[in-house]
């Protein structure tokens, strides 16, 4: 458990693993997408059992009041480690009333597990989390606009090994709104082993794994200038690679093309 997995969680409508949305928001609504993607993780598999996705727009009531299901959520058990190289999994894609969005709640079932050295072990969800994982958003949604939210699980911090040898879920999640965010993509060669690609500046660190062909895409990157570090698998004996001054603009994807590790 030495690197961070990103569970960029949810998006609405399970078309494929590309996560792009073609919906158009109306005059009084905004298009809301919540997407799931993967960054670093050192397990054979990480299964998350998604039962529902809910939102809360009225923050005047109690903590448990005012929640509404997004409806038509593509529930299921998803292996986060299949989402690499910039692939995202759409769980739902809906129109919601324009206005204030306070929180998103991810409701999990009981079939959560990790696989280590070929052995599957259930992940216990503490009683405090059984009503759903509540994520603070505090975003004003403007009519006619499209918003994509990435919910990033830091697996190193979120999966806790218990004294009895089991595992429990203590979620540490970064919420990234992609309205105005950019992305960084490219290829790493040689690509025989997966590499971790990290984008970092003074205020932000985001990372993703390459897929088996060396492709990667880091989603939800705030506009700014970044240092890119490629960290190959230790067994490859390849050195790290760095590229400085990569500028990311709002709503743009920077293609670094091919990064060669000598």
């Amino acid at each position: 458990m030495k690197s961070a997995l990103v569970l960029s969680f949810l998006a609405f409508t399970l078309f494929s693993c590309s996560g792009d949305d073609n919906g158009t928001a109306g005059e009084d609504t905004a298009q809301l997408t919540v997407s799931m993607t993967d960054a670093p993780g050192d397990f054979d598999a990480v299964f998350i059992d998604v039962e529902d996705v809910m939102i809360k727009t009225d923050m005047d009531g109690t903590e448990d009041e005012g929640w509404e299901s997004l409806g038509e959520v593509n529930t299921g058990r998803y292996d986060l480690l299949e989402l690499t190289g910039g692939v995202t999994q759409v769980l739902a894609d809906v129109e919601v009333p324009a206005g204030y969005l306070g929180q998103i709640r991810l409701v999990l079932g009981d079939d959560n597990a990790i696989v280590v050295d070929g052995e599957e072990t259930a992940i216990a969800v503490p009683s405090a989390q059984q009503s759903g994982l509540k994520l603070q958003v505090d975003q004003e949604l403007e009519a006619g606009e499209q918003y994509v939210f990435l919910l990033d699980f830091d697996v190193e911090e979120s999966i806790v090994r218990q004294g009895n040898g089991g595992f429990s879920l203590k979620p540490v999640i970064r919420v990234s709104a992609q309205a105005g965010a950019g992305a960084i993509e490219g290829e790493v060669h040689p690509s025989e082993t997966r590499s971790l690609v990290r984008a970092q500046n003074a205020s932000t660190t985001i990372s993703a794994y390459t897929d088996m062909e060396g492709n990667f895409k880091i989603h939800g990157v705030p506009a700014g200038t970044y240092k890119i570090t490629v960290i190959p698998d230790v067994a490859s004996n390849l050195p790290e690679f760095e590229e400085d001054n990569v500028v990311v603009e709002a709503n743009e994807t920077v293609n670094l093309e091919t990064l060669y590790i000598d």
Side-chain angles (χ1 to χ4, degrees):
M1 287 193 255
K2 42 185 181 185
S3 45
L5 167 71
V6 170
L7 175 193
S8 292
F9 241 113
L10 321 202
F12 307 122
T13 4
L14 184 56
F15 290 154
S16 65
C17 291
S18 65
D20 293 330
D21 166 67
N22 296 317
T24 302
E27 293 181 359
D28 299 320
T29 63
Q31 193 77 24
L32 177 63
T33 301
V34 187
S35 279
M36 180 165 64
T37 192
D38 161 349
D42 285 338
F43 304 104
D44 298 337
V46 178
F47 293 107
I48 297 295
D49 182 14
V50 179
E51 285 197 342
D52 200 2
V53 181
M54 310 179 79
I55 61 172
K56 187 172 185 178
T57 57
D58 183 1
M59 302 302 290
D60 294 333
T62 67
E63 185 68 19
D64 293 323
E65 292 179 334
W67 290 97
E68 298 180 14
S69 173
L70 288 170
E72 300 184 10
V73 175
N74 291 280
T75 60
R77 191 177 192 241
Y78 298 99
D79 179 5
L80 303 179
L81 298 190
E82 291 183 354
L83 307 178
T84 59
V87 174
T88 59
Q89 177 68 69
V90 176
L91 300 179
D93 182 15
V94 296
E95 285 188 11
V96 297
Y100 178 73
L101 174 60
Q103 293 178 313
I104 294 174
R105 173 187 276 177
L106 176 66
V107 181
L108 299 183
D110 298 326
D111 201 8
N112 307 291
I114 67 171
V115 179
V116 180
D117 295 330
E119 182 177 349
E120 181 170 321
T121 303
I123 302 173
V125 179
S127 57
Q129 308 292 345
Q130 289 176 357
S131 63
L133 310 180
K134 300 170 186 175
L135 308 168
Q136 202 69 30
V137 176
D138 292 327
Q139 177 92 27
E140 193 72 26
L141 305 183
E142 297 184 10
E145 294 295 325
Q146 176 180 323
Y147 297 85
V148 179
F149 287 93
L150 298 178
L151 314 185
D152 295 347
F153 260 81
D154 184 332
V155 163
E156 183 179 10
E157 299 294 330
S158 298
I159 306 297
V160 179
R161 187 181 294 271
Q162 300 172 324
N164 61 4
F167 297 88
S168 63
L169 181 66
K170 182 183 178 183
V172 177
I173 305 174
R174 168 181 171 265
V175 181
S176 171
Q178 281 192 301
I184 302 171
E185 66 181 10
E187 299 179 28
V188 174
H189 286 277
S191 59
E192 285 75 13
T193 60
R194 296 173 68 196
S195 298
L196 173 66
V197 183
R198 182 174 62 212
Q200 185 173 24
N201 62 17
S203 59
T204 303
T205 299
I206 312 177
S207 54
Y209 267 132
T210 59
D211 64 15
M212 297 309 294
E213 284 73 46
N215 302 302
F216 70 90
K217 187 167 186 177
I218 306 174
H219 294 276
V221 183
T225 302
Y226 292 84
K227 178 173 78 171
I228 305 301
T229 304
V230 179
I231 306 173
D233 184 273
V234 174
S236 71
N237 293 318
L238 292 170
E240 294 186 6
F241 171 88
E242 294 184 354
E243 182 168 334
D244 293 317
N245 300 318
V246 174
V247 178
V248 177
E249 303 287 350
N251 299 311
E252 298 290 340
T253 296
V254 177
N255 190 338
L256 299 180
E257 298 182 348
T258 304
L259 306 178
Y260 292 96
I261 305 176
D262 298 322

